[in-house]
Amino acid sequence: VLNGKYRIVRRIGAGGMAIVYEALHTGLGTALAVKVLLPELARVPTLAERFRREARVSATIRSPHVIQVTDVDQLADGRPYLVMELLSGQALEQLLVEVKALSRERAVDIGLQILLGLESAHALGVVHRDLKPGNVFLSRQGTEVVAKLLDFGIAKVKASTEFQNLTRPGVVMGTP
């Protein structure tokens, strides 16, 4: 149980920076996802701050096409974690591996949903900077599939004082 609020149920994914777990809110009984920064990365102050910034940035964007982040905190060992909605479905990357190509109609539908998510982010001065099929999740919501943008970990916020300092010429960010 994390900080008396989130009971870990199972591990649902892992990436280069974090592990994602399914959890239950102990007071409400609702299912959520908890993303915890990897221990070796949490010791790097700039990476830990980027992770916290991801939570803050994601929490400000209100769109059905952007993952909703509801909490950010840290474990007793200092590792930050963020709490977000638990999605059911699959990453666009996984779908493309399975089907190889989308129909024109499906590709346009998913593309337009991605653009709606980006529009909401851009309206707040947020630039994602790592948009790829692995960061688009196709969430099943009843009979509909809703595309949601994930992972704002290297996003830039134009209105922030850190905007100019996040990257420098010659520095590569995101996935090549």
Side-chain angles (χ1 to χ4, degrees), residues 55-149:
R56 289 190 302 270
V57 167
S58 297
T60 63
I61 303 169
R62 298 282 184 242
S63 169
H65 302 289
V66 174
I67 187 83
Q68 184 180 14
V69 173
T70 57
D71 196 3
V72 63
D73 207 334
Q74 67 182 33
L75 302 176
D77 66 6
R79 282 187 294 155
Y81 68 87
L82 61 86
V83 180
M84 56 195 162
E85 66 182 305
L86 180 64
L87 302 175
S88 173
Q90 67 184 142
L92 176 58
E93 178 179 52
Q94 183 181 353
L95 176 65
L96 292 173
V97 167
E98 291 172 8
V99 301
K100 306 294 185 236
L102 300 175
S103 70
R104 181 177 321 172
E105 294 78 16
R106 186 130 191 235
V108 168
D109 179 52
I110 292 169
L112 289 173
Q113 290 184 59
I114 292 168
L115 289 172
L116 288 170
L118 289 173
E119 179 182 44
S120 295
H122 292 179
L124 297 174
V126 176
V127 181
H128 190 285
R129 300 196 314 161
D130 196 19
L131 189 57
K132 60 185 179 182
N135 285 339
V136 175
F137 197 86
L138 303 175
S139 176
R140 286 189 305 273
Q141 297 180 1
T143 59
E144 291 186 51
V145 173
V146 177
K148 290 190 174 265
L149 300 179

